[in-house]
Amino acid sequence: MQASVTEWLDNTAERYPDKIAMVDEWGKITFAMFRSKSLAIAAEIRRRTIGEHKPVIVFLEKSGRSVVSFLGIAYSRNFYCPIDTDMPVLRVNRILEILQPSAVITTEGLYERFRQFDFHGQILFYENIEENEINEETIIPLSRKAIDTDLLYVLFTSGSTGVPKGVGIRHRSVIDYIDWVTDKFSVCEKDSFGNQAPFYFDNSILDIYSMLKTGATMYIIPKALFAQPVLLLDYLKENCVNIIFWVPSALITIAKRRALKNVDLRKTLRAVLFCGEVMPNKQLNYWREHLPDIIYANLYGPTEITDACTFYQVDRAFQDEEPLPIGRPMKNTEVLLLDKEDFLITSDQMGKIGELCVKGTSLAVGYYNNPKKTSEVFVQNPLQDEYEEKIYRTGDLAWYNEYGELMYSGRKDDQIKYMGHRIELGEIETAVSSFHEVHRCCCFYDESRYRIVLVMESDIELAGSEIRERLQRQIPEYMLPGEIVYLSKLPLNANGKIDRKKLKADMT
C-alpha cells in the first residue's frame, strides 16, 4: 500500500525519465531532473539536522522549482508550506508565528525580500543545493519509512478574526484524492495540464499530483496571460494543453471577452474542470456552445477536505438562470446534510436546506497550532456517539434537487434575516448572473443601513428599476437589493475569486 506521494515520483521518473514534467517561464524540467533535485533538497535538509515532521516553508516565485522543493521536503519526511513572494509582511509574519518553521527554501535573488520577515530558522538557497548519487542512498531508505498519516503540507486560509488558519493535510488524503481524479477523468502520461491556481491555493493540488502520479506534463501558465484571454487560449493551443482546472473567474473572463470565437480548441482541449466558487450557467453555456464535445465538471470543497469532496460532471442542458449542481460525493467520502438540530437531511427531502458536513480520509488534521479553531469545526459526528468519528462542518448550506444531486445554497454566514425573512444572498447572485449584460456580481448585507447591496461588473448600466423588474420574475420582492452599484471590474483576491471582504469594506 502506498504511504507517500514521493513513491509517485520514484515510479514516474523510472518510467519516463526524459519526459517533460513541468514547463514554466524559465524553462523545462524532466522527471529525472525533478527527482534528482528533490532528493538533493531532502539530503540538504537532513544534513542541516532539521529532523523529521517539521514545517519547511518555500519562498519562491511560482515555478517548477517550487514543486521540486515540495517533493524534496516530502522526501525528508517533513512538510511544506508555500509563501507567496508578494504576500504582505504582516500576513507572512503571522504565518511564521503560527508555524515556527525550521527552515526556508528560497533563492539568493529573493533573499533581500525575505529578510524583512521575522524568521529565525535555517536558510537553504535552491540554486546552491548540489545533486549527487549519495543523495539517493541517503534519502530513499528514509522515505521508505514514511507512513500515510505523515503531514504533507500546510496551506493557510483566511481567518474570520484576521489571523490566518493553517490547514494540515496528510499524504493519505492527497493519495485518495488524486487516485479518484486520475481514474474519473482517465488522466495518463499523454495529458497536459494548464495550471492556473497559485501553489498556496489548494486547487493546485490536482494539477501537481496528477502530473506526478501519471507522468502528464504541467504547464505553469504565466499569470499575466489571465488578463489577456485570446493570448491565454493561444498558449493552451500552442502547447496542446488538454486539461484545465481553474477557478470560475478565469473561465468567466474568457466568456466575457467572447475569446473562444478567436481560438479553436476543439482538437486540443478535452476537459474543463472548475472549483472554488459558483460557476454561473450563463458563462458555462458559452463554453459548452463553442466546445460541446468535451468534459465539464464542477468540483466542490474547501481546503479542509483536500480541495474537493463532491463533483458534478455536466450531463444535461441548463438555462442561464439555473444554478449548477455540486453533485455527489467522491469515492471514499461521505457527505452529511444536517439541519439546525443536527438531524440528517436525506435526498428524498428535496429542497430542505442544511449544513454540508464531510467525513472520510480527505479531512485535514485540523488547523496547525490552533486547537480552539480546530475543535469548533472538526467535531464528533452527531449522528452517533459509540466511537470517535470526526466530521468537518464546512459552514456551507446545500439542498438536494430532484435528481438527488446536492445544490450549493451559500454560506451560513451569508444567510441574513431581512424584514422577517431568511435570505440566501447566493440566490440573488444566481438570478443576477443570468442577465446577459452582467459579467460578475456580488451581494452583501450592509448592517449599518439595513439594506442588501448588489455590486455588478457590466459594460452597460441598466436602470435600477429595470433590474428589479427582471429580478422579480425570479425571486420574491423581499429579496430585491436596496442598492445597486456598478463597477468596471470587481476586485479579485490572490486565488482569482471575488474579494467579498474588500468589496464590503470599501463600500460600508
Side-chain angles (χ1 to χ4, degrees):
M1 178 174 160
Q2 183 179 349
S4 167
V5 299
T6 59
E7 293 178 41
W8 281 335
L9 183 51
D10 290 339
N11 296 334
T12 304
E14 183 178 357
R15 286 183 294 156
Y16 313 112
D18 300 321
K19 188 175 183 296
I20 301 299
M22 292 177 285
V23 180
D24 61 22
E25 297 176 62
W26 297 271
K28 302 176 181 179
I29 299 173
T30 66
F31 281 103
M33 294 162 59
F34 185 170
R35 183 172 183 271
S36 178
K37 187 69 175 185
S38 292
L39 290 174
I41 289 170
E44 180 65 16
I45 290 171
R46 300 301 295 179
R47 190 182 69 79
R48 301 286 190 101
T49 63
I50 289 167
E52 298 178 11
H53 313 299
K54 300 290 197 314
V56 178
I57 62 173
V58 177
F59 188 77
L60 294 169
E61 64 284 296
K62 186 185 176 186
S63 62
R65 294 191 293 186
S66 298
V67 182
V68 170
S69 299
F70 299 162
L71 269 293
I73 294 164
Y75 270 120
S76 73
R77 284 200 78 186
N78 290 289
F79 56 94
Y80 67 85
C81 175
I83 301 286
D84 181 25
T85 55
D86 293 322
M87 193 176 287
V89 174
L90 181 60
R91 181 174 173 82
V92 173
N93 282 336
R94 283 174 173 165
I95 289 173
L96 295 177
E97 183 181 356
I98 294 166
L99 206 58
Q100 295 294 306
S102 300
V104 60
I105 299 174
T106 187
T107 62
E108 291 182 345
L110 288 169
Y111 181 57
E112 281 303 311
R113 193 181 309 176
F114 185 77
R115 285 180 63 187
Q116 65 187 315
F117 306 130
D118 187 18
F119 175 75
H120 305 289
Q122 299 195 51
I123 297 170
L124 286 68
F125 291 121
Y126 183 96
E127 63 270 39
N128 295 340
I129 298 173
E130 296 183 3
E131 302 168 50
N132 57 60
E133 293 179 5
I134 299 174
N135 294 335
E136 175 141 1
E137 297 172 9
T138 304
I139 297 303
I140 293 304
L142 171 69
S143 69
R144 292 289 185 259
K145 295 178 181 178
I147 60 175
D148 62 4
T149 54
D150 287 349
L151 275 189
L152 174 59
Y153 62 77
V154 171
L155 298 183
F156 277 83
T157 64
S158 297
S160 57
T161 61
V163 178
K165 297 178 295 188
V167 179
I169 298 291
R170 295 172 283 207
H171 285 256
R172 172 48 52 192
S173 301
V174 172
I175 291 167
D176 269 9
Y177 176 48
I178 297 303
D179 281 349
W180 176 84
V181 168
T182 53
D183 178 62
K184 181 65 186 176
F185 301 111
S186 303
V187 182
C188 69
E189 77 281 358
K190 297 177 182 178
D191 288 311
S192 294
F193 287 85
N195 166 259
Q196 170 266 325
F199 293 153
Y200 55 82
F201 180 33
D202 61 326
N203 273 18
S204 65
I205 298 303
L206 186 148
D207 298 336
I208 293 171
Y209 291 99
S210 295
M211 169 268 294
L212 201 67
K213 177 187 176 182
T214 64
T217 297
M218 181 172 72
Y219 287 84
I220 301 171
I221 303 173
K223 185 178 179 181
L225 286 182
F226 285 93
Q228 305 172 78
V230 174
L231 294 180
L232 173 60
L233 296 181
D234 280 335
Y235 179 96
L236 298 183
K237 185 174 182 178
E238 288 168 9
N239 291 292
C240 296
V241 169
N242 66 348
I243 302 175
I244 57 174
F245 180 45
W246 294 354
V247 290
S249 290
L251 302 174
I252 290 169
T253 298
I254 288 169
K256 172 184 173 181
R257 305 284 180 84
R258 305 293 179 197
L260 288 170
K261 68 181 180 182
N262 299 307
V263 183
D264 186 359
L265 297 179
R266 286 175 296 180
K267 293 182 179 178
T268 51
L269 200 58
R270 76 170 184 87
V272 174
L273 317 178
F274 40 91
C275 186
E277 57 186 341
V278 174
M279 179 69 199
N281 266 307
K282 183 180 70 177
Q283 283 86 356
L284 182 58
N285 284 338
Y286 172 81
W287 277 82
R288 295 179 70 185
E289 176 188 345
H290 285 80
L291 297 168
D293 299 321
I294 69 175
I295 295 169
Y296 294 94
N298 184 23
L299 278 64
Y300 157 84
T303 307
E304 287 85 347
I305 50 80
T306 318
D307 190 29
C309 58
T310 73
F311 77 104
Y312 170 65
Q313 190 164 320
V314 183
D315 60 358
R316 60 183 185 270
F318 291 90
Q319 298 298 314
D320 285 356
E321 66 274 10
E322 286 186 89
L324 195 67
I326 58 173
R328 304 176 191 277
M330 296 174 177
K331 185 179 179 181
N332 203 29
T333 298
E334 186 172 354
V335 168
L336 308 174
L337 206 57
L338 301 180
D339 67 15
K340 290 182 180 179
E341 284 73 43
D342 280 342
F343 289 112
L344 183 68
I345 298 172
T346 57
S347 58
D348 58 354
Q349 296 174 280
M350 190 176 70
K352 186 175 181 181
I353 293 176
E355 182 180 7
L356 199 152
C357 303
V358 186
K359 67 174 184 172
T361 57
S362 63
L363 264 60
V365 297
Y367 301 119
Y368 193 84
N369 200 15
N370 194 340
K372 182 176 183 296
K373 283 291 182 185
T374 298
S375 65
E376 291 173 4
V377 290
F378 292 90
V379 301
Q380 172 65 24
N381 181 0
L383 302 180
Q384 66 88 8
D385 57 9
E386 289 81 17
Y387 58 92
E388 185 180 54
E389 183 180 49
K390 286 289 194 291
I391 65 168
Y392 172 65
R393 306 192 77 116
T394 67
D396 288 338
L397 300 173
W399 50 277
Y400 288 104
N401 66 11
E402 65 270 31
Y403 299 96
E405 299 159 343
L406 286 161
M407 304 293 297
Y408 178 76
S409 183
R411 293 285 300 166
K412 279 176 69 176
D413 47 19
D414 283 342
Q415 186 184 70
I416 64 170
K417 194 160 187 181
Y418 179 64
M419 298 174 61
H421 300 279
R422 291 199 177 277
I423 296 173
E424 303 292 344
L425 296 177
E427 187 176 348
I428 305 172
E429 293 173 355
T430 297
V432 175
S433 294
S434 69
F435 298 174
H436 71 272
E437 301 93 343
V438 177
H439 304 310
R440 294 185 182 91
C441 70
C442 175
C443 276
F444 64 85
Y445 184 60
D446 184 346
E447 293 85 355
S448 63
R449 295 185 294 164
Y450 305 102
R451 63 171 59 185
I452 298 169
V453 180
L454 167 64
V455 187
M456 296 189 295
E457 180 182 312
S458 174
D459 296 329
I460 302 170
E461 290 195 16
L462 301 171
S465 57
E466 183 178 351
I467 291 172
R468 291 184 180 92
E469 183 180 341
R470 286 202 212 174
L471 281 175
Q472 278 184 303
R473 300 170 195 162
Q474 299 184 49
I475 59 175
E477 187 172 355
Y478 64 78
M479 293 177 67
L480 296 177
E483 182 178 354
I484 299 169
V485 178
Y486 282 96
L487 293 179
S488 59
K489 190 172 184 180
L490 263 62
L492 304 179
N493 62 24
N495 297 336
K497 304 179 187 180
I498 295 172
D499 195 334
R500 295 171 181 271
K501 288 184 179 178
K502 183 179 189 306
L503 201 58
K504 184 173 181 178
D506 290 346
M507 294 191 174
T508 55

